[in-house]
Amino acid sequence: MPKSREYMERTEQSVLHTYNRFPVVLENGEGVYLEDVDHKKYLDFGAGIAVFALGYGNQAYNDALKAQIDKIIHTSNLYYNVPLMEAAEKLLQHSGMSRVFFTNSGTEAVEGAIKAARKYAYNKDNGRTDHEIIAMNHSFHGRSMGALSVTGNPHYQEAFKPLMGGVKFAEFNNLDSVKEQISDRTCAIIMETVQGEGGIYPADPEFIKGVKAICEEKDILLILDEIQCGMGRTGSYFAWQQYGVEPDIMTCAKALGCGVPVGAFVLNEKTAASSLVPGDHGTTYGGNPLACAAVSKVFDLFEQEKIIDHVKAITPYLEKRLDELMAKYDFLTARRGMGLMQGLAVTGRPVGAIVKKALENGLIVISAGTDVIRFVPPLIITEENVDEMIEKLEASF
Ligand SMILES: *Cc1c(COP(=O)(O)O)cnc(C)c1O
């Protein structure tokens, strides 16, 4: 019996069955390849859901974490620590924003962003508490009650009602639909700059600029969720930087720590000056020295390894090869994406079967929405990796 079968069966006897996991037990990683406990190799175009930007086994990254472990892992937020200072400075330097709060996950970053927006509105309106937030259909912001409330997917929400009140939904990339939902109670508009889980939909430039204009006119806060599309994935540190539209609040996670669980919500000056104050928000682990040493090293390595330049250079090749596939197969009906966040829409065939077959063929890709094959590889992929991916994918159709 392969080792993986035994481990899978034992795991299923103790963990809560909330995932339909693929039948693979992963053990090692090297660059853009993963290896399972039976020594089968996989080319990884999923990166642990857009997390492992630097690839697996980056020695400088691993060494930085080991060094921090030998110093101190945790202090709590009752005290200062040096990695926190460094990680915060680097995140602000690369975003041009003003203040950051580190969390343990993307979901928690969204929770913090919602609280900051509500507090800003509370202060502005002398203690009124009937504010509304506009979110987008087909969005994904997380599974806790606040983040779930702004996640535009009724299927995820249904069994967990009543959710947080005051949320209205609009159509992504439809400015009129957003305008219809605006009222004098609207305090924030939340959206992903590039929708990820919903099926890889980049914001149209006119749409996001139009939303920003409404926000400025009415002093509504724009919250951009960059948890999946941020940290270099689209060819700039943050996707909004390519639209010339600055958020009031941004959320980050996934590749921010490249595998160490860490997220952040980041505020501009205006929002930071009049929102959360001591006593309003907190976390025991968030921003601890180990997590922040990871964030700090990730920014250093992005600079040293010129990751953003590499994403810009390799993207046209990935797009070209995906477009060639589209031209060849009738059931591939659209390619959407920005940088190394790409999706192929599949019509008339189950995406799940393709993803499963790819895994058997030693290729990790994941789905998005109901009908999209998602490509979110480590940001260090080469043209050879792209060629190998295309070959393995075609063999899986
Ligand atoms: C993954 C994701 C989240 C949730 O992040 P977690 O770290 O899983 O809590 C929120 N928003 C977007 C856009 C995501 O892709």
Side-chain angles (χ1 to χ4, degrees):
M1 179 153 95
K3 274 200 226 164
S4 55
R5 176 120 317 275
E6 183 202 326
Y7 293 151
M8 284 187 275
E9 280 169 11
R10 275 177 56 188
T11 304
E12 285 301 338
Q13 279 164 22
S14 52
V15 302
L16 189 66
H17 190 78
T18 53
Y19 296 100
N20 288 315
R21 291 177 213 269
F22 291 104
V24 173
V25 184
L26 296 169
E27 189 165 53
N28 282 302
E30 180 77 52
V32 296
Y33 290 91
L34 287 164
E35 195 179 281
D36 71 15
V37 289
D38 298 310
H39 304 298
K40 179 170 169 176
K41 275 185 98 177
Y42 303 84
L43 174 64
D44 182 17
F45 268 61
I49 317 189
V51 168
F52 246 97
L54 295 165
Y56 302 97
N58 182 304
Q59 202 55 52
Y61 171 82
N62 290 356
D63 288 345
L65 289 191
K66 288 173 195 165
Q68 186 59 48
I69 286 169
D70 285 339
K71 283 186 193 162
I72 194 165
I73 294 175
H74 180 76
T75 58
S76 93
N77 281 303
L78 298 176
Y79 314 96
Y80 295 88
N81 70 76
V82 176
L84 170 66
M85 172 188 79
E86 291 175 346
E89 285 175 356
K90 289 170 193 176
L91 182 47
L92 297 185
Q93 182 199 329
H94 291 292
S95 63
M97 297 184 77
S98 292
R99 301 275 168 175
V100 53
F101 183 105
F102 285 106
T103 66
N104 307 291
S105 69
T107 301
E108 280 179 70
V110 170
E111 294 292 332
I114 292 170
K115 281 182 73 175
R118 286 232 172 129
K119 185 71 193 291
Y120 179 86
Y122 175 91
N123 286 344
K124 192 177 69 171
D125 288 347
N126 305 313
R128 278 188 73 158
T129 55
D130 55 352
H131 297 102
E132 295 168 356
I133 295 175
I134 298 173
M136 301 297 144
N137 287 327
H138 305 295
S139 62
F140 183 84
H141 299 291
R143 313 287 197 134
S144 62
M145 294 310 273
L148 183 61
S149 302
V150 291
T151 288
N153 186 329
H155 172 73
Y156 289 161
Q157 293 183 336
E158 185 52 32
F160 306 101
K161 289 174 176 174
L163 300 173
M164 182 181 89
V167 180
K168 292 169 149 186
F169 285 93
E171 230 23 82
F172 190 59
N173 281 339
N174 180 336
L175 194 58
D176 287 337
S177 148
V178 174
K179 284 181 185 160
E180 278 165 26
Q181 299 302 332
I182 301 261
S183 78
D184 63 347
R185 302 284 82 225
T186 308
C187 72
I189 300 176
I190 182 168
M191 65 167 97
E192 296 150 89
T193 318
V194 182
Q195 285 194 337
E197 305 297 314
I200 314 292
Y201 289 92
D204 291 339
E206 298 70 38
F207 174 71
I208 197 168
K209 284 182 183 147
V211 169
K212 177 67 185 178
I214 295 170
C215 287
E216 279 188 342
E217 185 197 320
K218 300 185 183 295
D219 197 15
I220 293 168
L221 299 179
L222 177 61
I223 305 173
L224 291 181
D225 183 339
E226 290 263 339
I227 290 169
Q228 188 161 159
C229 62
M231 290 308 288
R233 181 150 295 280
T234 64
S236 51
Y237 269 99
F238 302 102
W240 54 262
Q241 291 168 327
Q242 292 177 59
Y243 290 94
V245 166
E246 291 175 13
D248 297 289
I249 307 175
M250 157 173 86
T251 56
C252 290
K254 292 202 164 88
L256 179 63
C258 275
V260 170
V262 57
F265 61 96
V266 193
L267 313 180
N268 66 3
E269 192 64 54
K270 169 180 104 169
T271 317
S274 181
S275 57
L276 302 175
V277 294
D280 279 342
H281 199 57
T283 159
T284 299
Y285 281 141
N288 89 7
L290 181 64
C292 285
V295 173
S296 180
K297 196 66 187 179
V298 166
F299 279 111
D300 290 352
L301 290 170
F302 264 60
E303 293 296 302
Q304 281 162 29
E305 299 183 9
K306 300 191 168 40
I307 297 287
I308 305 270
D309 289 342
H310 178 70
V311 172
K312 282 193 275 198
I314 193 79
T315 294
Y317 191 72
L318 175 63
E319 289 179 335
K320 172 173 148 280
R321 296 299 324 261
L322 292 175
D323 286 342
E324 284 167 10
L325 271 193
M326 264 238 302
K328 198 163 159 189
Y329 296 96
D330 284 347
F331 63 90
L332 300 176
T333 48
R335 178 184 64 76
R336 294 185 294 268
M338 248 173 106
L340 295 183
M341 182 172 179
Q342 295 283 334
L344 278 180
V346 176
T347 307
R349 279 194 188 197
V351 171
I354 298 173
V355 169
K356 196 161 161 261
K357 191 74 197 165
L359 196 67
E360 281 170 37
N361 291 333
L363 169 67
I364 291 181
V365 285
I366 49 183
S367 59
T370 51
D371 61 350
V372 176
I373 310 172
R374 173 168 28 168
F375 306 88
V376 285
L379 303 183
I380 57 165
I381 54 161
T382 61
E383 292 193 357
E384 292 70 44
N385 297 144
V386 174
D387 290 341
E388 186 187 340
M389 180 278 286
I390 296 283
E391 197 180 303
K392 292 199 151 103
L393 187 63
E394 261 197 286
S396 314
F397 285 156

